[in-house]
Amino acid sequence: MRILIIENDEELSKSLNDVLTSQNYQCDIAENINDARYMLDIRNYDLVLLSWDKAAKSGIDIITEIKRDAHKTSVIVLSDRLEKESEIEALRAGADDFIRKPLDYDILLVRVEAKLRFGASNIIEIDELIINPEEEKIIYEGEEIELKGKPFEVLTHLAMHKDQIVSKEQLLDAIWEEPELVTPNVIEVAINQIRQKMDKPLDISTIETVRRRGYRFCFPKKIN
């Protein structure tokens, strides 16, 4: 499970990261709303922890953007605002939960676990194709397809951004933990495996190459 922490307090963001990674969550940190927008654009998050304090210049309008563009992503607001009106405002903006600071990390972990357990399903269903990211499983016309590892993650990311052109650099940032240590050629290898192990045997096309720009998920598209 991947979590985005939006918090400009460096000490608090580090503490949140340490607590969550100790529970095997993958975390990214955004120090401001602009950084958060960029990270939300290139990666898929199961949960966003959004800091909304009295001194914050930015509001909670990013929640609307998250729910519009990634409606399956849960949002928990962390705030030092004590009045109930702020909690009501956050929830009405689309937040799934509201936790007041100072944080009790035991309570936070339970609330995070609850949102991830009962949040919206990440399963992708397009015609006869079903992609289950949590179980790393693909089913086409009732039959399970053997595609694992990075090729599966590349296919899933492209499917989640259906009809959008995704560059190699965006795929590297979204999927590889240390993208600077690998070459863009690994994307070509993954795409080739998808085509050889899935598209060719099933006589379908799931990904098209957009010259000099990247790749686009194009299913459903039959190969003539």
Side-chain angles (χ1 to χ4, degrees):
M1 294 290 184
R2 188 180 289 274
I3 297 174
L4 176 61
I5 301 167
I6 307 175
E7 173 61 69
N8 61 7
D9 184 317
E10 186 176 347
E11 184 177 345
L12 179 54
S13 63
K14 184 180 184 304
S15 295
L16 283 166
N17 180 73
D18 291 345
V19 169
L20 292 165
T21 54
S22 72
Q23 301 300 309
N24 298 318
Y25 294 114
Q26 291 182 311
C27 297
D28 292 322
I29 297 173
E31 295 181 357
N32 55 61
I33 296 298
N34 287 335
D35 287 350
R37 287 192 174 103
Y38 172 76
M39 299 179 85
L40 286 161
D41 188 50
I42 66 170
R43 287 187 171 172
N44 302 311
Y45 292 97
D46 300 288
L47 175 72
V48 172
L49 293 179
L50 170 63
S51 180
W52 182 45
D53 294 332
K54 294 177 182 178
K57 293 181 181 179
S58 300
I60 52 173
D61 51 320
I62 193 172
I63 299 176
T64 303
E65 299 174 29
I66 294 171
K67 293 299 182 178
R68 180 194 65 214
D69 300 329
H71 63 277
K72 295 178 180 179
T73 301
S74 296
V75 179
I76 297 179
V77 171
L78 312 177
S79 180
D80 64 1
R81 298 169 182 251
L82 302 180
E83 67 281 1
K84 70 176 183 179
E85 288 78 13
S86 292
E87 181 174 357
I88 292 171
E89 184 180 353
L91 294 172
R92 282 180 173 168
D96 298 280
D97 204 349
F98 186 96
I99 303 177
R100 288 183 172 83
K101 299 177 179 178
L103 300 172
D104 181 317
Y105 288 113
D106 291 331
I107 295 296
L108 174 68
L109 286 173
V110 171
R111 305 275 276 271
V112 166
E113 182 184 351
K115 286 303 163 196
L116 292 175
R117 187 191 315 129
F118 300 115
S121 171
N122 288 321
I123 294 176
I124 302 165
E125 295 187 49
I126 305 172
D127 286 7
E128 305 92 351
L129 181 67
I130 300 173
I131 303 174
N132 186 332
E134 295 178 6
E135 298 182 10
E136 201 176 47
K137 182 182 294 184
I138 300 173
I139 297 175
Y140 180 72
E141 294 184 339
E143 297 293 327
E144 187 170 346
I145 309 305
E146 187 65 28
L147 187 72
K148 304 292 183 182
K150 295 304 183 188
F152 176 87
E153 293 182 51
V154 168
L155 178 70
T156 300
H157 186 82
L158 290 170
M160 286 180 170
H161 295 81
K162 189 177 186 295
D163 298 325
Q164 298 178 29
I165 298 173
V166 183
S167 69
K168 289 182 180 179
E169 290 73 20
Q170 289 174 319
L171 285 167
L172 287 173
D173 285 342
I175 296 169
W176 273 261
E177 288 299 316
E178 297 180 302
E180 67 279 1
L181 299 182
V182 297
T183 67
N185 289 341
V186 298
I187 301 296
E188 296 176 15
V189 172
I191 296 291
N192 185 58
Q193 289 187 43
I194 294 169
R195 289 170 173 163
Q196 293 300 317
K197 294 184 177 182
M198 180 173 168
D199 292 8
K200 190 174 180 180
L202 299 176
D203 193 34
I204 62 174
S205 179
T206 54
I207 298 169
E208 65 178 338
T209 301
V210 182
R211 190 178 179 186
R212 297 179 182 174
R213 296 181 65 188
Y215 301 94
R216 176 167 49 202
F217 187 82
C218 62
F219 182 84
K221 181 180 179 182
K222 281 282 186 180
I223 299 176
N224 295 324

